[in-house]
């Protein structure tokens, strides 16, 4: 399959991810190509991880679960493999100085070169408890500009509010592999679907806009006993019969943030992982789960909240900080916030 940019009139549907990224760079005459190169490297990592994910079931069937496989190689957990693939790929071109990963307690330095102007935050394999039951999993990433290139990178360099992200995206290993990315509100949110027969990502979802209001809610109902009274009231309200207001909403919950957020982004509605008695600070991680998704949802016309305000405005204090996370259509997230702030 070749680039099909001409087959759809003005639409760019069908162009490859590489061409899309390159055209973006050509629109910025001052661009050095560094940023373009990082996005290309991430799309290469997406292919590597896809090939590992697609064989995950076989690894078990063939009994490759011990410390070594038949080739005598160390068999890593898929989370570790995804982490290692991303670090290897991002480290190759000296553009990324360091990464903060869900898989690593500390940051990983990739180069001391002062010309490495970017930092990457990532959850290499989100939803890993779903691997064994063959349910969608994903990778989440965000790219930050390095503000002190003359100083060695430290964890404090990653503690920036999400508004400062230069780009964010995710890869979903679902019925197809899809990459969704954005460089912010002006550039839109775009999705690319992988064609395994030729090893390319093609633009399949151009300029994604989330519906203003949806009809689906996504929350782990098993946590109900631990919810605050405000969350309980909201959950009862969303299930209440009210035809004029489009309620009750249908429930959908995968338990992989990437999958629940992807569905919410395309179809509208709300995803909520609020704080509860067990996790008063929330469960999901601010830097590499909440912030990238908040950046994507806002760029698609949606909202991302911690219940009482904007995720992207939170000033992080810790690398692995947690946060409540509410994502979705603007009307649906606003209604949730109204329940949390005593307006309903
Ligand atoms: P795992 O990676 O341990 O499966 O956790 C996935 C996750 O971080 C996120 O992807 C889900 O939205 C959330 O946790 C699900 O959490 P619950 O299992 O508590 O509903």
């Amino acid at each position: 399959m070749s680039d099909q940019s001409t087959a759809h009139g003005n639409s760019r549907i069908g162009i490859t991810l590489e061409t899309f990224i390159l055209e973006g760079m050509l629109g910025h005459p001052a661009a050095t190509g560094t940023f373009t190169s990082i996005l290309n490297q991430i799309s290469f990592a997406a292919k590597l991880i896809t090939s590992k994910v697609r064989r995950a079931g076989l690894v078990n069937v063939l009994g490759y679960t011990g410390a070594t496989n038949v080739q005598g190689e160390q068999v890593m957990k898929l989370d570790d493999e995804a982490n290692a693939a991303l670090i290897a790929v991002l480290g190759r071109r000296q553009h990324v100085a360091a990464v903060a990963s869900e898989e690593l307690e500390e940051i990983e330095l990739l180069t001391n070169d002062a010309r490495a102007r970017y930092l990457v935050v990532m959850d290499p394999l989100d939803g890993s408890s779903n691997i064994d039951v063959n349910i969608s999993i994903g990778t989440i990433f965000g790219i930050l500009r390095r503000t002190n290139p003359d100083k060695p990178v430290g964890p404090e360099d990653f503690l920036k509010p999400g508004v400062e992200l230069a780009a964010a995206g995710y890869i979903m290993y679902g019925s197809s592999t899809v990459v969704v990315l954005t460089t912010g509100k002006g550039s839109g949110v775009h999705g690319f679907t992988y064609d395994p027969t030729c090893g390319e990502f093609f633009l399949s979802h151009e300029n994604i806009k989330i519906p203003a209001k949806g009809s689906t809610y996504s929350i782990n109902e098993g946590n109900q006993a631990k919810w605050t009274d405000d969350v309980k009231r909201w959950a009862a309200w969303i299930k209440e019969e009210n035809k004029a207001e489009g309620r009750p909403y249908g429930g959908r919950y995968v338990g992989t943030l990437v999958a629940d957020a992807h569905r919410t982004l395309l179809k509208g509605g709300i995803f909520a992982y609020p704080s509860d008695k067990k996790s008063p600070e929330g469960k999901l991680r601010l830097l590499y789960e909440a912030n990238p998704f908040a950046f994507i949802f806002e760029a698609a016309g949606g909202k991302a909240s911690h219940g009482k305000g904007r995720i992207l405005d939170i000033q992080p204090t810790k690398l692995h900080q947690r946060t409540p996370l509410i994502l979705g259509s603007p009307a649906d997230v606003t209604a949730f916030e109204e329940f949390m702030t005593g307006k309903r």
Side-chain angles (χ1 to χ4, degrees):
M1 191 166 167
S2 62
D3 243 359
Q4 299 182 348
S5 43
T6 51
H8 298 268
N10 283 337
S11 158
R12 290 188 290 169
I13 291 286
I15 67 169
T16 66
L17 176 54
E18 200 180 347
T19 304
F20 182 89
I21 293 170
L22 212 61
E23 285 180 358
M25 180 194 153
L26 295 177
H28 295 91
T32 60
T34 306
F35 193 66
T36 304
S37 162
I38 297 170
L39 290 177
N40 272 324
Q41 290 299 84
I42 290 175
S43 77
F44 177 52
K47 294 178 193 175
L48 294 178
I49 301 171
T50 295
S51 80
K52 293 179 198 298
V53 167
R54 299 297 174 214
R55 281 181 289 130
L58 276 176
V59 169
N60 277 337
V61 171
L62 299 177
Y64 295 168
T65 49
T68 53
N69 66 16
V70 284
Q71 284 92 28
E73 297 161 344
Q74 196 85 14
V75 177
M76 289 193 279
K77 278 167 56 201
L78 209 49
D79 314 50
D80 295 335
E81 287 205 65
N83 188 56
L86 277 157
I87 286 180
V89 164
L90 290 171
R92 207 156 286 153
R93 292 195 185 157
Q94 311 278 302
H95 298 320
V96 178
V99 302
S101 164
E102 206 242 8
E103 291 299 314
L104 305 168
E105 198 51 41
E106 311 291 341
I107 64 167
E108 175 97 4
L109 287 178
L110 301 183
T111 174
N112 287 321
D113 194 327
R115 287 170 300 176
R117 293 189 292 127
Y118 291 94
L119 305 172
V120 169
V121 289
M122 63 191 197
D123 181 352
L125 211 71
D126 170 58
S128 43
S129 59
N130 275 332
I131 296 172
D132 288 351
V133 282
N134 216 348
I135 291 176
S136 301
I137 48 180
T139 298
I140 310 167
F141 63 91
I143 304 175
L144 287 161
R145 286 189 191 83
R146 191 175 165 196
T147 41
N148 293 314
D150 302 327
K151 224 169 75 353
V153 181
E156 65 285 357
D157 292 302
F158 286 87
L159 302 182
K160 294 179 180 160
V163 275
E164 293 189 27
L165 283 165
Y170 61 88
I171 307 157
M172 185 166 114
Y173 314 102
S175 46
S176 308
T177 296
V178 175
V179 170
V180 174
L181 51 87
T182 182
T183 52
K185 274 189 183 142
S187 72
V189 178
H190 308 282
F192 302 82
T193 302
Y194 188 56
D195 180 347
T197 61
C198 62
E200 285 287 357
F201 283 97
F202 292 95
L203 181 61
S204 51
H205 300 73
E206 190 176 17
N207 209 7
I208 298 169
K209 292 280 177 233
I210 188 168
K213 181 179 178 305
S215 55
T216 304
Y217 77 105
S218 185
I219 190 167
N220 185 342
E221 289 274 354
N223 289 337
Q224 182 157 358
K226 295 178 248 161
W227 290 340
T228 62
D229 289 346
D230 290 339
V231 177
K232 284 182 188 162
R233 282 191 311 109
W234 168 81
W237 170 83
I238 204 110
K239 285 176 277 191
E240 223 170 59
E241 178 90 31
N242 183 329
K243 280 213 175 83
E245 293 184 10
R247 285 181 285 124
Y249 277 28
R252 291 283 185 279
Y253 190 75
V254 177
T256 295
L257 174 60
V258 170
D260 284 315
H262 183 67
R263 183 196 55 250
T264 306
L265 184 69
L266 296 187
K267 306 244 177 187
I270 184 163
F271 166 85
Y273 209 116
S275 57
D276 58 33
K277 284 181 199 142
K278 186 174 159 220
S279 321
E281 293 176 354
K283 177 187 177 191
L284 301 174
R285 310 294 182 148
L286 175 62
L287 289 195
Y288 41 79
E289 292 185 312
N291 273 343
F293 272 114
F295 195 72
I296 293 164
F297 270 69
E298 286 202 5
K303 270 184 88 168
S305 169
H306 49 79
K308 296 181 176 165
R310 195 178 175 213
I311 287 284
L312 293 180
D313 286 338
I314 300 176
Q315 172 60 56
T317 53
K318 289 185 293 196
L319 220 44
H320 297 286
Q321 185 167 334
R322 295 177 193 269
T323 178
L325 177 63
I326 324 299
L327 295 169
S329 297
D332 295 315
V333 176
T334 300
F336 186 96
E337 286 178 325
E338 286 173 356
F339 275 92
M340 299 308 118
T341 52
K343 292 187 188 131
R344 285 192 195 230

